[in-house]
């Protein structure tokens, strides 16, 4: 029963899917946190794996999937719609990176994206005459927050999901800061819209990889991978809660 963008069979996905943007990161995550990981789809190089969580604690052995989303809201919305709608997936936790916007966050910090403003029109079409509010599932966000256990490098709040990575609208960054936006990324609002529409659960956990307003040193690939571990821990806690 393949869908247009996923070549897996029914039952190939666990109820919970972790979703980084990058297929290579999905592969590394699967190798790191899953026992008996099986490649279940690779259409267009967007790989998906299912196995059993190999970590410590009560969640050990639980089924878990990891699949890449690609970049941007149209891409993640395609995969989320097919996973939720045709593969019985109940929750998707995006595990990505964001550009820091707020003074409150630094490179390496983790954002739990409880809400997502957006420059995209995708959610404008959902409820006629209404500016849709793209929000995370409260239970998932609460589970991630609990797993953070008061870590001052984990903040919860609003992000902006932007259609543009390079193009900057004059005044937009100042206005984001004035409204307490923590960071900018490119997928959360789309994912939250799909989850709302299909009655499913979604969350976004983001590592700050660069900062738009604070001077900061570039990170090596190794440093990026290391700081990513904090976000992954929270995402797994939410996924298997
Ligand atoms: N913009 C959008 N998405 C991002 C950024 C950014 O600056 N950094 C990491 N993901």
């Amino acid at each position: 029963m393949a869908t247009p963008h996923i070549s897996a069979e029914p039952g190939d996905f666990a109820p919970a899917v972790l979703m980084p943007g990058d297929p290579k990161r999905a592969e590394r995550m699967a190798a790191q946190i899953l026992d008996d990981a099986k490649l279940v789809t690779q259409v267009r190089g967007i790989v998906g794996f299912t196995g059993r969580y190999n970590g410590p604690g009560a969640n050990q052995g639980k089924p878990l999937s990891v699949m890449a989303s690609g970049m941007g809201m149209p891409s993640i919305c395609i995969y989320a719609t097919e996973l939720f709608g045709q593969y019985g997936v109940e929750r998707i936790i995006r595990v990505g990176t964001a550009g820091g916007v707020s003074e409150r966050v630094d490179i390496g910090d983790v954002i739990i994206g409880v809400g997502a403003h957006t420059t995209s029109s995708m959610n404008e079409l959902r409820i006629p005459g209404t500016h849709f509010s793209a929000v995370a599932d409260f239970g998932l966000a609460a589970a991630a927050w609990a797993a953070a256990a008061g870590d001052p490098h984990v903040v919860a709040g609003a992000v902006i999901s932007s259609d543009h990575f390079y193009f900057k609208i004059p005044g937009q960054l100042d206005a984001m800061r004035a409204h307490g936006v923590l960071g900018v990324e490119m997928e959360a609002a789309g994912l939250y819209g799909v989850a709302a529409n299909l009655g499913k659960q979604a969350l976004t956990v983001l590592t700050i990889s660069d900062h738009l307003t604070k001077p900061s040193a570039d990170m090596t690939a190794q440093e990026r991978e290391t700081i990513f571990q904090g976000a992954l821990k929270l995402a797994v806690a939410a996924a298997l809660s």
Side-chain angles (χ1 to χ4, degrees):
M1 182 212 68
T3 58
H5 308 93
I6 299 175
S7 57
E9 295 302 317
D12 272 353
F13 282 97
V17 179
L18 301 183
M19 272 207 142
D22 176 1
K24 286 283 176 213
R25 178 159 280 148
E27 210 174 309
R28 285 197 298 273
M29 278 172 55
Q32 185 197 332
I33 65 170
L34 299 180
D35 278 339
D36 304 326
K38 178 184 158 202
L39 177 70
V40 295
T41 182
Q42 53 179 331
V43 179
R44 292 174 183 248
I46 295 289
V47 289
F49 299 88
T50 298
R52 288 177 294 101
Y53 180 55
N54 67 8
N59 288 327
Q60 188 171 33
K62 287 189 181 172
L64 181 62
S65 295
V66 178
M67 180 170 159
S69 70
M71 286 184 281
M73 285 172 268
S75 185
I76 199 167
C77 286
I78 286 171
Y79 297 111
T81 300
E82 294 179 13
L83 289 171
F84 284 145
Q86 274 140 290
Y87 286 99
V89 169
E90 293 299 324
R91 40 178 70 168
I92 294 177
I93 293 87
R94 163 165 154 70
V95 196
T97 57
V101 170
S102 166
E103 283 294 317
R104 290 173 59 203
V105 295
D106 287 304
I107 289 188
D109 286 357
V110 174
I111 297 174
I112 297 171
V114 298
H117 310 294
T118 184
T119 66
S120 161
S121 65
M122 291 183 88
N123 288 335
E124 291 300 303
L125 306 172
R126 292 192 177 281
I127 306 175
T130 303
H131 297 289
F132 184 87
S133 288
V135 294
D137 177 79
F138 182 77
L140 294 185
W145 184 250
D151 182 344
H153 294 289
V154 178
V155 279
V159 298
I160 286 201
S161 302
S162 176
D163 276 337
H164 286 282
F165 185 89
Y166 290 112
F167 179 72
K168 306 289 181 220
I169 299 168
Q172 192 181 54
L173 191 56
D174 286 342
M176 285 185 202
R177 284 159 60 88
H179 289 84
V181 171
L182 298 173
V184 57
E185 55 88 77
M186 303 184 75
E187 291 82 15
L191 173 62
Y192 293 171
V194 172
N197 189 213
L198 298 179
K200 304 284 184 166
Q201 299 174 301
L203 178 67
T204 297
V205 182
L206 301 160
T207 305
I208 304 285
S209 59
D210 50 281
H211 206 291
L212 277 62
T213 61
K214 284 186 190 176
S216 47
D218 284 348
M219 275 191 301
T220 63
Q222 175 70 45
E223 284 169 329
R224 276 175 199 269
E225 207 50 46
T226 307
I227 63 168
F228 198 66
Q229 296 302 316
L232 182 55
K233 191 185 85 178
L234 304 189
V236 169
L240 300 179
S241 63

